Amino acid sequence: MLKLFAILVLLVELSWAQKDPLNDFCRRFGHQTAVIDEKLYVDGGQVDWNPIVQNDQNYTNTWLLYNDLETSPAGIGVPQLHANLSKNSSIPDVSGGILWADDVNKRFYSYGGDYSGISPNAPNLLSYDVLYNQWESFGPPDTSIQSVSWGGGVGISELGQGYILGGWLSNNSVPGWTGSPWATSTLIKYDMDAGVWTNNTGPDSTPRAEGVMVYIPASYSGLLVYFGGVEVPNNNGTTLPASMSTIHVYDIQSSKWYTQTAVGDVPSARRRFCAGAAWAPDQSSYNIYLYGGLGFGANSSGFDDVYILSLPSFTWIKWWEGSGVGNPHNSMTCNVVNSGQMLIIGGTFPLTDACDSPTTWGTHNLDLGKQSGKMWNDYQVNITSYVVPYEIIAVVGGSSLGGATATAPAGGFNNSDLAVYFTQHASIASRSPTRAIPSPTQPAAPSSARKLSTGAIVGIAVGGGIVLIALLLAAFCCIRRHRQNYLGKAIDHQYSPTQNLHPQTRQYFQPHHQSQTYQLPAAVPVELSAHNYQPRSKDSIYHQVYESPNCNEWHNQPLVPYTSPTTTSPHSPNYNEWPGQLQLSHISPTISSHPSILSDRTRSPSTTTAYGSQTSPAPTYSSLGRTRKPVPPNQTYYSS
């Protein structure tokens, strides 16, 4: 009887612990994103729940979510978020990885990233099939390819290729890793059609991580542009900030690297920022928009600003900066949508105790050409092209449709090859899908997996719901009647911050050619909308929804006084967290300043261990933020 009672208590505790990723959202960071067919997918990373006074811990995001890019609900102003996709406990939830989108075959690939709270799985390329809502394994990479985190990655659907430059190898990303994290110097490439991995040289032998890389359609097959992050020169264990004036360019067709010096309003060195590219209709200028990031030294708390790197003039333009001290944040994502807008999702704030606009789930929109009249604005479904804003025209010449007159750096190109590449426009043959893709008017073919009839599903759902309700009611009555007599003897099984909502287990996957799919839920999940009722935690009586006064820019919003919680938690991402609760308008990702006590910690590097040709000495790290949430034992800090 005692065991049965303990099980019932456990069921009730677990029901209390469940959170709704829409209604309970506070902030997210370290996640990965990809866009396919007007859906922006959000996977992995860390989340904090609202209200944080009862949820002062960081949790692994176990949901695969998506924003519907064909919607912008009134009163919200960003694409509607949904949480009804398949992702069971066998699919790892990582931070600092990359999603390579394949819009031709209607899937994305998940590579790399740090595991949190558990040991990493063996490297295994996983793919999510957007047509059939299922995950598949494409098997382990070549033995020379390791799983890295926080590298500069980009997927190019037109070419069917995924790239990542640099990144960290550590006990968070590599099974059996001992010692401190090491950075890599190589460019990893994955061919989506052939399923082939290659390990190429980077721009030099310097290991690097935490920068960004974007694709632009110059030269015959396109160019990769990388900048920012950290470097680990001379294998001496010291990390240095990468100069933002040093731009690395990779020509895909010739497989050659080039380095060009940028001028203008060069931004301060930073890492863990995000960026996206857009270009004039005539491709006379390619403009890379950068947002935020974590800084170094005096700028260690990071940045709340927008810069534009315009190519081929290689000129930096300062476009926007948060008012006052701003509200710096890092570990967010940027996705350019239909050329004209860039959705900035999430980020962790070192200097404030506030949620990241819960009504918009931490999603903010930047109008790249100011077609709406301002840069920060509600997401507009009808903006489907890019025009050059006047701040760029003032520097490179031309008009909103192109015609840039600054077609080379003021001091000339460091290599004449670049001058040639920027006169060429990428000409890429259309890819053919490697599997049957239904037409827009043709429904997807049913999965080969055997399915239950609709009546059976309804019957099971109803019966299961009745049984669950009966169990919960019985548990509730037992708790009220016997808590004093039995609770001290029952199993103490409170929800732990070190546990994922769906504990991950090791799986041995079949190769993709055997069409092995991951287990799907027993019943189709119900879509979670902003108004659906979901199970609440036992502390839900304290739940408070903070309403944004309007859709004005964040930096115009007054700060609501809030007492920061001091409870510590072992479940934390690599960098600073921004605890707290404050509903903020979603237009501009900046919020009123809220000072917090900063304290520094250091972690001495342990004995380093070489791991093939991809490694470099381990850095040391000084924590830049609050010590409220220490890192779990298998987390590693990186140096500034």
Side-chain angles (χ1 to χ4, degrees):
M1 180 65 183
L2 183 59
K3 290 183 178 180
L4 177 60
F5 176 76
I7 292 174
L8 293 175
V9 171
L10 174 58
L11 287 173
V12 174
E13 294 286 25
L14 289 176
S15 69
W16 278 333
Q18 297 302 310
K19 294 295 183 181
D20 181 337
L22 277 68
N23 294 330
D24 297 321
F25 173 83
C26 179
R27 56 198 173 200
R28 80 173 72 255
F29 42 91
H31 51 281
Q32 296 78 231
T33 54
V35 175
I36 298 175
D37 284 350
E38 299 302 316
K39 290 182 174 61
L40 195 165
Y41 295 89
V42 182
D43 184 55
Q46 303 259 316
V47 292
D48 289 323
W49 300 120
N50 189 355
I52 203 166
V53 69
Q54 283 92 41
N55 301 282
D56 61 340
Q57 299 152 359
N58 305 312
Y59 296 92
T60 298
N61 171 42
T62 58
W63 285 271
L64 173 62
L65 310 122
Y66 75 91
N67 291 96
D68 183 352
L69 301 178
E70 296 180 318
T71 64
S72 184
I76 298 178
V78 301
Q80 177 66 46
L81 185 66
H82 300 272
N84 62 333
L85 299 178
S86 171
K87 189 176 184 184
N88 64 30
S89 61
S90 68
I91 311 301
D93 306 302
V94 298
S95 298
I98 181 72
L99 300 183
W100 291 320
D102 182 355
D103 198 49
V104 173
N105 283 298
K106 310 304 178 187
R107 64 169 71 250
F108 63 74
Y109 301 87
S110 174
Y111 168 76
D114 282 337
Y115 290 68
S116 180
I118 64 172
S119 299
N121 291 344
N124 187 28
L125 184 66
L126 300 178
S127 175
Y128 176 74
D129 185 333
V130 306
L131 294 179
Y132 303 110
N133 186 28
Q134 65 186 22
W135 290 81
E136 297 175 318
S137 170
F138 279 64
D142 298 340
T143 55
S144 62
I145 306 296
Q146 300 301 323
S147 181
V148 299
S149 62
W150 301 102
V154 62
I156 310 166
S157 186
E158 299 93 324
L159 295 171
Q161 297 173 1
Y163 291 90
I164 189 165
L165 175 64
W168 295 105
L169 298 168
S170 72
N171 62 335
N172 288 335
S173 60
V174 179
W177 181 272
T178 59
S180 299
W182 290 42
T184 71
S185 62
T186 55
L187 177 71
I188 293 173
K189 172 186 173 183
Y190 178 68
D191 187 309
M192 301 175 189
D193 292 335
V196 174
W197 295 83
T198 54
N199 202 351
N200 307 301
T201 58
D204 49 41
S205 60
T206 301
R208 50 178 44 87
E210 303 182 47
V212 301
M213 186 160 62
V214 300
Y215 170 81
I216 60 173
S219 187
Y220 287 133
S221 296
L223 301 174
L224 304 180
V225 182
Y226 177 94
F227 53 87
V230 299
E231 296 179 346
V232 190
N234 304 320
N235 293 336
N236 60 6
T238 301
T239 55
L240 299 176
S243 172
M244 297 293 284
S245 63
T246 301
I247 312 299
H248 300 293
V249 180
Y250 180 76
D251 178 54
I252 293 175
Q253 180 155 309
S254 66
S255 301
K256 291 183 178 180
W257 280 101
Y258 303 87
T259 299
Q260 179 64 45
T261 301
V263 297
D265 293 328
V266 180
S268 299
R270 61 192 68 198
R271 57 189 179 184
R272 296 203 181 191
F273 55 100
C274 68
W279 40 90
D282 66 353
Q283 296 182 230
S284 59
S285 69
Y286 303 88
N287 302 307
I288 302 172
Y289 291 75
L290 167 160
Y291 178 76
L294 187 66
F296 303 86
N299 297 318
S300 60
S301 58
F303 305 94
D304 178 26
D305 54 17
V306 178
Y307 280 83
I308 303 169
L309 174 62
S310 186
L311 308 176
S313 67
F314 284 84
T315 304
W316 280 108
I317 301 166
K318 187 174 184 178
W319 207 36
W320 179 84
E321 185 173 18
S323 60
V325 296
N327 289 278
H329 50 298
N330 64 86
S331 305
M332 72 291 288
T333 58
C334 291
N335 292 91
V336 174
V337 176
N338 293 326
S339 302
Q341 300 173 95
M342 185 166 77
L343 291 172
I344 300 170
I345 298 178
T348 177
F349 291 62
L351 299 182
T352 185
D353 291 350
C355 284
D356 184 3
S357 184
T359 57
T360 69
W361 318 288
T363 305
H364 316 278
N365 184 54
L366 189 65
D367 185 343
L368 302 179
K370 289 187 175 179
Q371 297 182 67
S372 63
K374 51 188 176 180
M375 61 181 64
W376 297 112
N377 195 34
D378 284 355
Y379 175 77
Q380 306 292 313
V381 176
N382 61 349
I383 295 180
T384 58
S385 61
Y386 174 70
V387 298
V388 183
Y390 67 85
E391 292 90 345
I392 297 178
I393 297 171
V395 174
V396 305
S399 70
S400 61
L401 299 180
T405 57
T407 56
F413 287 104
N414 293 354
N415 190 299
S416 59
D417 288 354
L418 289 176
V420 176
Y421 294 150
F422 279 103
T423 65
Q424 302 167 343
H425 297 169
S427 178
I428 303 170
S430 298
R431 289 174 60 211
S432 297
T434 57
R435 64 172 184 156
I437 302 295
S439 66
T441 59
Q442 175 187 358
S447 172
S448 59
R450 189 175 181 180
K451 296 184 178 181
L452 294 174
S453 66
T454 302
I457 293 174
V458 172
I460 292 172
V462 173
I466 294 173
V467 171
L468 179 59
I469 292 172
L471 285 174
L472 292 177
L473 289 175
F476 178 76
C477 294
C478 290
I479 291 171
R480 290 177 60 89
R481 182 177 301 175
H482 302 290
R483 179 176 293 273
Q484 295 299 325
N485 295 331
Y486 294 104
L487 188 58
K489 300 177 183 180
I491 297 175
D492 182 14
H493 200 119
Q494 296 288 336
Y495 183 79
S496 169
T498 62
Q499 294 174 314
N500 294 329
L501 296 182
H502 306 290
Q504 295 160 337
T505 58
R506 293 293 180 90
Q507 296 282 328
Y508 294 92
F509 304 112
Q510 297 295 327
H512 175 255
H513 61 78
Q514 297 184 22
S515 301
Q516 177 71 22
T517 60
Y518 288 84
Q519 176 185 351
L520 293 175
V524 178
V526 177
E527 176 178 295
L528 302 179
S529 71
H531 305 292
N532 284 350
Y533 175 81
Q534 296 296 329
R536 295 291 183 186
S537 71
K538 63 181 178 180
D539 297 317
S540 62
I541 57 173
Y542 301 107
H543 182 78
Q544 180 177 0
V545 177
Y546 295 84
E547 293 296 339
S548 172
N550 52 44
C551 292
N552 296 327
E553 297 191 4
W554 287 16
H555 60 277
N556 292 327
Q557 300 300 326
L559 177 71
V560 178
Y562 176 77
T563 303
S564 173
T566 57
T567 306
T568 61
S569 166
H571 197 60
S572 167
N574 291 338
Y575 286 113
N576 320 300
E577 311 313 328
W578 52 291
Q581 292 294 310
L582 176 63
Q583 168 61 34
L584 301 163
S585 182
H586 62 279
I587 302 302
S588 162
T590 176
I591 49 183
S592 301
S593 172
H594 186 65
S596 61
I597 301 173
L598 305 181
S599 60
D600 293 333
R601 293 183 298 173
T602 59
R603 176 174 291 187
S604 301
S606 57
T607 304
T608 59
T609 303
Y611 206 96
S613 62
Q614 286 188 298
T615 60
S616 70
T620 58
Y621 177 79
S622 295
S623 176
L624 303 175
R626 305 172 68 94
T627 60
R628 185 173 63 86
K629 300 176 182 176
V631 172
N634 77 324
Q635 286 281 47
T636 45
Y637 271 41
Y638 307 135
S639 165
S640 58

mmCIF file with all atom_site columns, all heavy atoms in Angstrom, residues 282-295:
data_model
loop_
_atom_site.group_PDB
_atom_site.id
_atom_site.type_symbol
_atom_site.label_atom_id
_atom_site.label_alt_id
_atom_site.label_comp_id
_atom_site.label_asym_id
_atom_site.label_entity_id
_atom_site.label_seq_id
_atom_site.pdbx_PDB_ins_code
_atom_site.Cartn_x
_atom_site.Cartn_y
_atom_site.Cartn_z
_atom_site.occupancy
_atom_site.B_iso_or_equiv
_atom_site.pdbx_formal_charge
_atom_site.auth_seq_id
_atom_site.auth_comp_id
_atom_site.auth_asym_id
_atom_site.auth_atom_id
_atom_site.pdbx_PDB_model_num
ATOM 1   N N   . ASP A 1 282 ? 19.701 43.936 -57.262 1.00 0.00 ? 282 ASP A N   1
ATOM 2   C CA  . ASP A 1 282 ? 20.677 43.740 -58.329 1.00 0.00 ? 282 ASP A CA  1
ATOM 3   C C   . ASP A 1 282 ? 21.990 43.150 -57.815 1.00 0.00 ? 282 ASP A C   1
ATOM 4   O O   . ASP A 1 282 ? 22.946 43.012 -58.574 1.00 0.00 ? 282 ASP A O   1
ATOM 5   C CB  . ASP A 1 282 ? 20.946 45.058 -59.061 1.00 0.00 ? 282 ASP A CB  1
ATOM 6   C CG  . ASP A 1 282 ? 21.627 46.097 -58.168 1.00 0.00 ? 282 ASP A CG  1
ATOM 7   O OD1 . ASP A 1 282 ? 21.768 45.842 -56.942 1.00 0.00 ? 282 ASP A OD1 1
ATOM 8   O OD2 . ASP A 1 282 ? 22.023 47.163 -58.682 1.00 0.00 ? 282 ASP A OD2 1
ATOM 9   N N   . GLN A 1 283 ? 22.024 42.790 -56.524 1.00 0.00 ? 283 GLN A N   1
ATOM 10  C CA  . GLN A 1 283 ? 23.197 42.191 -55.885 1.00 0.00 ? 283 GLN A CA  1
ATOM 11  C C   . GLN A 1 283 ? 24.437 43.068 -55.999 1.00 0.00 ? 283 GLN A C   1
ATOM 12  O O   . GLN A 1 283 ? 25.571 42.584 -55.979 1.00 0.00 ? 283 GLN A O   1
ATOM 13  C CB  . GLN A 1 283 ? 23.475 40.794 -56.441 1.00 0.00 ? 283 GLN A CB  1
ATOM 14  C CG  . GLN A 1 283 ? 22.371 39.793 -56.143 1.00 0.00 ? 283 GLN A CG  1
ATOM 15  C CD  . GLN A 1 283 ? 22.662 38.395 -56.638 1.00 0.00 ? 283 GLN A CD  1
ATOM 16  O OE1 . GLN A 1 283 ? 21.825 37.782 -57.310 1.00 0.00 ? 283 GLN A OE1 1
ATOM 17  N NE2 . GLN A 1 283 ? 23.832 37.869 -56.326 1.00 0.00 ? 283 GLN A NE2 1
ATOM 18  N N   . SER A 1 284 ? 24.232 44.375 -56.048 1.00 0.00 ? 284 SER A N   1
ATOM 19  C CA  . SER A 1 284 ? 25.382 45.286 -56.030 1.00 0.00 ? 284 SER A CA  1
ATOM 20  C C   . SER A 1 284 ? 25.910 45.483 -54.616 1.00 0.00 ? 284 SER A C   1
ATOM 21  O O   . SER A 1 284 ? 27.036 45.954 -54.429 1.00 0.00 ? 284 SER A O   1
ATOM 22  C CB  . SER A 1 284 ? 25.006 46.638 -56.638 1.00 0.00 ? 284 SER A CB  1
ATOM 23  O OG  . SER A 1 284 ? 23.933 47.231 -55.922 1.00 0.00 ? 284 SER A OG  1
ATOM 24  N N   . SER A 1 285 ? 25.109 45.131 -53.622 1.00 0.00 ? 285 SER A N   1
ATOM 25  C CA  . SER A 1 285 ? 25.585 45.141 -52.236 1.00 0.00 ? 285 SER A CA  1
ATOM 26  C C   . SER A 1 285 ? 24.970 43.967 -51.494 1.00 0.00 ? 285 SER A C   1
ATOM 27  O O   . SER A 1 285 ? 23.816 43.596 -51.734 1.00 0.00 ? 285 SER A O   1
ATOM 28  C CB  . SER A 1 285 ? 25.235 46.460 -51.529 1.00 0.00 ? 285 SER A CB  1
ATOM 29  O OG  . SER A 1 285 ? 23.834 46.583 -51.310 1.00 0.00 ? 285 SER A OG  1
ATOM 30  N N   . TYR A 1 286 ? 25.770 43.372 -50.634 1.00 0.00 ? 286 TYR A N   1
ATOM 31  C CA  . TYR A 1 286 ? 25.336 42.284 -49.750 1.00 0.00 ? 286 TYR A CA  1
ATOM 32  C C   . TYR A 1 286 ? 25.496 42.805 -48.329 1.00 0.00 ? 286 TYR A C   1
ATOM 33  O O   . TYR A 1 286 ? 26.596 43.229 -47.941 1.00 0.00 ? 286 TYR A O   1
ATOM 34  C CB  . TYR A 1 286 ? 26.196 41.040 -49.960 1.00 0.00 ? 286 TYR A CB  1
ATOM 35  C CG  . TYR A 1 286 ? 26.199 40.529 -51.378 1.00 0.00 ? 286 TYR A CG  1
ATOM 36  C CD1 . TYR A 1 286 ? 27.120 41.012 -52.305 1.00 0.00 ? 286 TYR A CD1 1
ATOM 37  C CD2 . TYR A 1 286 ? 25.281 39.572 -51.798 1.00 0.00 ? 286 TYR A CD2 1
ATOM 38  C CE1 . TYR A 1 286 ? 27.122 40.557 -53.616 1.00 0.00 ? 286 TYR A CE1 1
ATOM 39  C CE2 . TYR A 1 286 ? 25.284 39.100 -53.100 1.00 0.00 ? 286 TYR A CE2 1
ATOM 40  C CZ  . TYR A 1 286 ? 26.204 39.601 -54.008 1.00 0.00 ? 286 TYR A CZ  1
ATOM 41  O OH  . TYR A 1 286 ? 26.207 39.143 -55.304 1.00 0.00 ? 286 TYR A OH  1
ATOM 42  N N   . ASN A 1 287 ? 24.416 42.777 -47.554 1.00 0.00 ? 287 ASN A N   1
ATOM 43  C CA  . ASN A 1 287 ? 24.427 43.438 -46.252 1.00 0.00 ? 287 ASN A CA  1
ATOM 44  C C   . ASN A 1 287 ? 24.142 42.435 -45.137 1.00 0.00 ? 287 ASN A C   1
ATOM 45  O O   . ASN A 1 287 ? 23.089 41.790 -45.129 1.00 0.00 ? 287 ASN A O   1
ATOM 46  C CB  . ASN A 1 287 ? 23.405 44.571 -46.247 1.00 0.00 ? 287 ASN A CB  1
ATOM 47  C CG  . ASN A 1 287 ? 23.681 45.584 -47.349 1.00 0.00 ? 287 ASN A CG  1
ATOM 48  O OD1 . ASN A 1 287 ? 24.785 46.094 -47.448 1.00 0.00 ? 287 ASN A OD1 1
ATOM 49  N ND2 . ASN A 1 287 ? 22.699 45.836 -48.195 1.00 0.00 ? 287 ASN A ND2 1
ATOM 50  N N   . ILE A 1 288 ? 25.105 42.314 -44.239 1.00 0.00 ? 288 ILE A N   1
ATOM 51  C CA  . ILE A 1 288 ? 25.016 41.356 -43.137 1.00 0.00 ? 288 ILE A CA  1
ATOM 52  C C   . ILE A 1 288 ? 24.641 42.120 -41.868 1.00 0.00 ? 288 ILE A C   1
ATOM 53  O O   . ILE A 1 288 ? 25.391 42.998 -41.421 1.00 0.00 ? 288 ILE A O   1
ATOM 54  C CB  . ILE A 1 288 ? 26.342 40.602 -42.958 1.00 0.00 ? 288 ILE A CB  1
ATOM 55  C CG1 . ILE A 1 288 ? 26.712 39.877 -44.266 1.00 0.00 ? 288 ILE A CG1 1
ATOM 56  C CG2 . ILE A 1 288 ? 26.249 39.608 -41.801 1.00 0.00 ? 288 ILE A CG2 1
ATOM 57  C CD1 . ILE A 1 288 ? 28.100 39.252 -44.249 1.00 0.00 ? 288 ILE A CD1 1
ATOM 58  N N   . TYR A 1 289 ? 23.492 41.792 -41.301 1.00 0.00 ? 289 TYR A N   1
ATOM 59  C CA  . TYR A 1 289 ? 22.984 42.457 -40.101 1.00 0.00 ? 289 TYR A CA  1
ATOM 60  C C   . TYR A 1 289 ? 23.378 41.649 -38.870 1.00 0.00 ? 289 TYR A C   1
ATOM 61  O O   . TYR A 1 289 ? 23.074 40.460 -38.781 1.00 0.00 ? 289 TYR A O   1
ATOM 62  C CB  . TYR A 1 289 ? 21.465 42.581 -40.174 1.00 0.00 ? 289 TYR A CB  1
ATOM 63  C CG  . TYR A 1 289 ? 20.972 43.547 -41.230 1.00 0.00 ? 289 TYR A CG  1
ATOM 64  C CD1 . TYR A 1 289 ? 21.003 43.206 -42.580 1.00 0.00 ? 289 TYR A CD1 1
ATOM 65  C CD2 . TYR A 1 289 ? 20.457 44.794 -40.884 1.00 0.00 ? 289 TYR A CD2 1
ATOM 66  C CE1 . TYR A 1 289 ? 20.534 44.083 -43.560 1.00 0.00 ? 289 TYR A CE1 1
ATOM 67  C CE2 . TYR A 1 289 ? 19.978 45.677 -41.850 1.00 0.00 ? 289 TYR A CE2 1
ATOM 68  C CZ  . TYR A 1 289 ? 20.035 45.318 -43.187 1.00 0.00 ? 289 TYR A CZ  1
ATOM 69  O OH  . TYR A 1 289 ? 19.575 46.194 -44.149 1.00 0.00 ? 289 TYR A OH  1
ATOM 70  N N   . LEU A 1 290 ? 24.010 42.303 -37.934 1.00 0.00 ? 290 LEU A N   1
ATOM 71  C CA  . LEU A 1 290 ? 24.515 41.673 -36.707 1.00 0.00 ? 290 LEU A CA  1
ATOM 72  C C   . LEU A 1 290 ? 23.739 42.207 -35.521 1.00 0.00 ? 290 LEU A C   1
ATOM 73  O O   . LEU A 1 290 ? 23.440 43.404 -35.460 1.00 0.00 ? 290 LEU A O   1
ATOM 74  C CB  . LEU A 1 290 ? 26.000 41.980 -36.562 1.00 0.00 ? 290 LEU A CB  1
ATOM 75  C CG  . LEU A 1 290 ? 26.756 41.712 -35.259 1.00 0.00 ? 290 LEU A CG  1
ATOM 76  C CD1 . LEU A 1 290 ? 28.248 41.630 -35.563 1.00 0.00 ? 290 LEU A CD1 1
ATOM 77  C CD2 . LEU A 1 290 ? 26.542 42.802 -34.201 1.00 0.00 ? 290 LEU A CD2 1
ATOM 78  N N   . TYR A 1 291 ? 23.418 41.329 -34.581 1.00 0.00 ? 291 TYR A N   1
ATOM 79  C CA  . TYR A 1 291 ? 22.756 41.794 -33.360 1.00 0.00 ? 291 TYR A CA  1
ATOM 80  C C   . TYR A 1 291 ? 23.433 41.227 -32.117 1.00 0.00 ? 291 TYR A C   1
ATOM 81  O O   . TYR A 1 291 ? 23.712 40.025 -32.032 1.00 0.00 ? 291 TYR A O   1
ATOM 82  C CB  . TYR A 1 291 ? 21.273 41.407 -33.312 1.00 0.00 ? 291 TYR A CB  1
ATOM 83  C CG  . TYR A 1 291 ? 20.660 41.875 -32.008 1.00 0.00 ? 291 TYR A CG  1
ATOM 84  C CD1 . TYR A 1 291 ? 20.361 43.210 -31.827 1.00 0.00 ? 291 TYR A CD1 1
ATOM 85  C CD2 . TYR A 1 291 ? 20.483 41.001 -30.948 1.00 0.00 ? 291 TYR A CD2 1
ATOM 86  C CE1 . TYR A 1 291 ? 19.868 43.675 -30.620 1.00 0.00 ? 291 TYR A CE1 1
ATOM 87  C CE2 . TYR A 1 291 ? 19.989 41.460 -29.737 1.00 0.00 ? 291 TYR A CE2 1
ATOM 88  C CZ  . TYR A 1 291 ? 19.691 42.795 -29.584 1.00 0.00 ? 291 TYR A CZ  1
ATOM 89  O OH  . TYR A 1 291 ? 19.232 43.243 -28.375 1.00 0.00 ? 291 TYR A OH  1
ATOM 90  N N   . GLY A 1 292 ? 23.678 42.105 -31.104 1.00 0.00 ? 292 GLY A N   1
ATOM 91  C CA  . GLY A 1 292 ? 24.049 41.715 -29.750 1.00 0.00 ? 292 GLY A CA  1
ATOM 92  C C   . GLY A 1 292 ? 25.337 40.945 -29.614 1.00 0.00 ? 292 GLY A C   1
ATOM 93  O O   . GLY A 1 292 ? 26.279 41.094 -30.380 1.00 0.00 ? 292 GLY A O   1
ATOM 94  N N   . GLY A 1 293 ? 25.379 40.087 -28.582 1.00 0.00 ? 293 GLY A N   1
ATOM 95  C CA  . GLY A 1 293 ? 26.537 39.256 -28.330 1.00 0.00 ? 293 GLY A CA  1
ATOM 96  C C   . GLY A 1 293 ? 27.169 39.503 -26.974 1.00 0.00 ? 293 GLY A C   1
ATOM 97  O O   . GLY A 1 293 ? 26.881 40.484 -26.282 1.00 0.00 ? 293 GLY A O   1
ATOM 98  N N   . LEU A 1 294 ? 28.042 38.602 -26.602 1.00 0.00 ? 294 LEU A N   1
ATOM 99  C CA  . LEU A 1 294 ? 28.809 38.679 -25.357 1.00 0.00 ? 294 LEU A CA  1
ATOM 100 C C   . LEU A 1 294 ? 30.142 39.327 -25.653 1.00 0.00 ? 294 LEU A C   1
ATOM 101 O O   . LEU A 1 294 ? 30.769 39.040 -26.683 1.00 0.00 ? 294 LEU A O   1
ATOM 102 C CB  . LEU A 1 294 ? 29.010 37.271 -24.801 1.00 0.00 ? 294 LEU A CB  1
ATOM 103 C CG  . LEU A 1 294 ? 29.651 37.114 -23.428 1.00 0.00 ? 294 LEU A CG  1
ATOM 104 C CD1 . LEU A 1 294 ? 28.750 37.681 -22.353 1.00 0.00 ? 294 LEU A CD1 1
ATOM 105 C CD2 . LEU A 1 294 ? 29.935 35.640 -23.150 1.00 0.00 ? 294 LEU A CD2 1
ATOM 106 N N   . GLY A 1 295 ? 30.605 40.213 -24.768 1.00 0.00 ? 295 GLY A N   1
ATOM 107 C CA  . GLY A 1 295 ? 31.834 40.960 -25.022 1.00 0.00 ? 295 GLY A CA  1
ATOM 108 C C   . GLY A 1 295 ? 33.019 40.484 -24.218 1.00 0.00 ? 295 GLY A C   1
ATOM 109 O O   . GLY A 1 295 ? 33.027 39.402 -23.634 1.00 0.00 ? 295 GLY A O   1
#
